[in-house]
Amino acid sequence: MSRGHPEAKAACRDRLYSPRVGFRAGLVKVFQRYVERIFCSQTRSTSSIHARPTSSRSKKQSRPVSLIEEENHVARQIRDIYCRASLAGDIRHAKSTIDLTSFLAGLPGIAAPTIKKTNPEDLVERMFPPWATSCGARHVAACFWSWLCVLDDLTENKDTRIALENIVSILSRSPYDPLPSSPLAVSLMGAFHSAVQTATITNQNPLDPVDPIREPWKEVFWSEVATVARALLAEQDLDDQKFTMQEWLDLRVLTISARPLLVLLQASFGLPASSGPLVIGPLKNLPLILGLQNDILGFDKDFSSGNPLSAVQLLIRDGMDKKKALLRIVGLHNRLVMEMTVDAEDFDGTDQERDFVTAASRWPNAMALWMVSCERYK
C-alpha cells in the first residue's frame, strides 16, 4: 500500500487535473452523446421557459435553474446513463442459483437490512456467469460481498475501530485456524469464516468431505480479504485531514475489493492460485476502473451526505467546479474501460487465461448495472 498503485499515480500526475482529460477525452461515445444531450436539452428548456423581454441587468441576475438543481440533475442522468450504456461487453443475467440461507442465519440480526438492500446474489450472478463458473465460487463471492457491505457500513462509525482491528487480526491468520472464542469474533467473522472453510471450487464432488476443505485458493483469498480490511481501517485516518488524491486512490483500488473476487474467478477457471497475476496485463487497471465507477455512481449520495471519500469530491474540494469534476472522472473512467476492453480482446494466452480475462473485463458493466438497480445506492 505504501508504494501506491501505478495507475493511481499516473491518474493523479497526468490525467485528473489536466484539461486534456475532460469529458471529451472519454472514448465511450454513447456516454458522451447522452451527456451532451442532457446539457443541450437543459439549455433549450431553460431558454424557452424564460424567453421574455427583460433588461440586460435582470438577465444577468436571474438563473432559470439553480446551479445546484442543474448539477444534481446531471448527476442523476449520468447515473441513468450507466444503466443503458454497454461499458464492457454484454452480460447475460440468469435467475440466481445462490442460496445464502445458512450464511445469513449466522450473521447478527442488525446485518439483515444491509444485506437486503445490497442484493449480493444479483451482483455475483452478473460477475460470475453460472454457465462458466463454479457454484462454490459464486457462493463464496456472495458471502464475501454481503459481509463486506456490512463491514463497510460498520466502518462509517469511528467508534467501531476496535471491532475492525479485531477483524484484521483474524484475517491475518490462516483461514484454517479456529476463530477466537470471543462473542465479538464469532459475531463479526463466524458466518464468513465458516463459508470459506467449507467451500469447494476445485473439487465440486469430493469423495470424502472434510471440514475444513483445504484448497490452494483459500490462503490467497483470505490474504486479499485481509488487505481490504486493512485499507478500510486506513480510510478512517483520512476522514479528518486534507488527504491527497494519491492517498485516496491508493486505498480505493483496494477497498473496491476486486482482488479477492478475482482470486475466486481465477480458481473457478482452473488457474493456479496466486496474487501476482490477478491485475497485470489487460486487467491492470480493473480495480481503479471499478473504484472510479463507484465514486461516479455514488456521487449524488456522497455529495448530499458530505462524504469526502470520493475522487469527484476531492476535485471539488480542491477548487474544481462540481459538474467539471464529475465529468473529469467520467472521462478518465471511460478511457480506462476502453483500453482494458481492447487489451482483453487482443490478449493471447491459454484458453483458461483468456476466459478469465474476458469474464473479468466485463465486471465494470456488471457492477454498474447492479449499482443502478441496487437499493443500497438509491
Side-chain angles (χ1 to χ4, degrees):
M1 232 173 4
S2 59
R3 292 184 302 169
H5 185 270
E7 185 59 31
K9 288 183 177 180
C12 294
R13 184 180 64 248
D14 302 326
R15 297 168 180 173
L16 287 176
Y17 294 94
S18 168
R20 293 183 296 106
V21 192
F23 175 69
R24 293 181 183 275
L27 298 181
V28 181
K29 298 300 183 182
V30 64
F31 218 154
Q32 179 171 328
R33 288 196 300 271
Y34 271 119
V35 175
E36 287 177 344
R37 188 182 305 168
I38 292 167
F39 295 154
C40 291
S41 65
Q42 285 181 334
T43 302
R44 287 194 300 269
S45 62
T46 55
S47 61
S48 62
I49 291 172
H50 296 271
R52 59 179 182 270
T54 182
S55 67
S56 59
R57 177 181 176 84
S58 62
K59 281 183 179 179
K60 291 180 180 179
Q61 291 179 341
S62 64
R63 295 292 298 273
V65 180
S66 74
L67 184 61
I68 292 178
E69 288 175 349
E70 177 183 351
E71 290 173 343
N72 284 342
H73 174 70
V74 172
R76 288 192 296 271
Q77 290 297 319
I78 287 178
R79 179 188 178 95
D80 292 341
I81 289 163
Y82 265 97
C83 191
R84 295 189 291 268
S86 177
L87 301 180
D90 296 329
I91 296 293
R92 291 177 289 171
H93 182 46
K95 184 178 180 180
S96 177
T97 59
I98 301 169
D99 183 3
L100 294 179
T101 304
S102 60
F103 171 74
L104 297 178
L107 293 177
I110 59 172
T114 296
I115 303 300
K116 183 177 180 180
K117 291 191 298 182
T118 299
N119 193 5
E121 299 96 329
D122 179 60
L123 173 65
V124 171
E125 294 286 7
R126 294 178 186 277
M127 298 176 76
F128 291 75
W131 61 90
T133 56
S134 76
C135 179
R138 295 194 300 277
H139 179 76
V140 175
C143 291
F144 167 65
W145 201 256
S146 301
W147 172 84
L148 178 68
C149 289
V150 174
L151 182 61
D152 187 46
D153 287 353
L154 181 74
T155 56
E156 291 180 358
N157 184 347
K158 283 193 172 184
D159 294 338
T160 60
R161 187 180 185 92
I162 293 177
L164 188 54
E165 289 172 346
N166 270 268
I167 290 174
V168 171
S169 176
I170 293 170
L171 288 167
S172 299
R173 306 172 187 175
S174 167
Y176 304 117
D177 291 343
L179 282 179
S181 58
S182 70
L184 180 62
V186 173
S187 175
L188 294 172
M189 294 293 296
F192 181 48
H193 182 258
S194 176
V196 174
Q197 282 203 329
T198 58
T200 178
I201 294 178
T202 57
N203 185 5
Q204 295 298 299
N205 298 292
L207 297 177
D208 299 307
V210 293
D211 184 10
I213 299 173
R214 293 181 177 269
E215 294 181 351
W217 61 268
K218 293 189 179 184
E219 294 277 6
V220 181
F221 173 75
W222 203 247
S223 175
E224 293 293 348
V225 176
T227 300
V228 172
R230 292 189 191 97
L232 287 171
L233 186 60
E235 271 189 1
Q236 295 195 345
D237 297 328
L238 298 180
D239 286 349
D240 298 321
Q241 58 177 285
K242 192 175 174 64
F243 55 93
T244 66
M245 182 69 78
Q246 177 71 61
E247 290 173 319
W248 166 241
L249 292 182
D250 280 345
L251 292 175
R252 197 71 180 107
V253 297
L254 300 176
T255 60
I256 197 62
S257 303
R259 292 183 64 93
L261 294 173
L262 284 169
V263 172
L264 299 176
L265 188 69
Q266 190 182 57
S268 196
F269 282 113
L271 295 171
S274 172
S275 293
L278 286 175
V279 290
I280 61 174
L283 304 179
K284 63 182 181 296
N285 295 324
L286 179 60
L288 181 58
I289 289 169
L290 296 176
L292 294 176
Q293 176 176 281
N294 190 279
D295 287 357
I296 294 166
L297 293 177
F299 171 65
D300 228 359
K301 183 178 179 181
D302 290 337
F303 188 81
S304 299
S305 64
N307 175 24
L309 300 180
S310 159
V312 184
Q313 290 282 74
L314 284 179
L315 290 180
I316 295 171
R317 184 204 67 184
D318 292 343
M320 190 174 289
D321 171 78
K322 178 181 172 183
K323 186 189 302 183
K324 185 177 180 181
L326 182 60
L327 298 184
R328 182 66 54 85
I329 300 300
V330 169
L332 175 59
H333 166 274
N334 289 352
R335 189 183 61 74
L336 293 175
V337 168
M338 292 304 294
E339 286 180 1
M340 181 182 68
T341 303
V342 171
D343 289 345
E345 290 174 351
D346 295 339
F347 177 67
D348 185 20
T350 66
D351 289 345
Q352 291 171 313
E353 290 169 341
R354 286 197 299 271
D355 288 343
F356 168 70
V357 167
T358 298
S361 67
R362 292 173 175 171
W363 281 8
N365 192 46
M367 187 167 283
L369 292 172
W370 168 75
M371 284 187 69
V372 297
S373 64
C374 182
E375 187 65 28
R376 180 178 176 84
Y377 295 96
K378 294 180 180 178

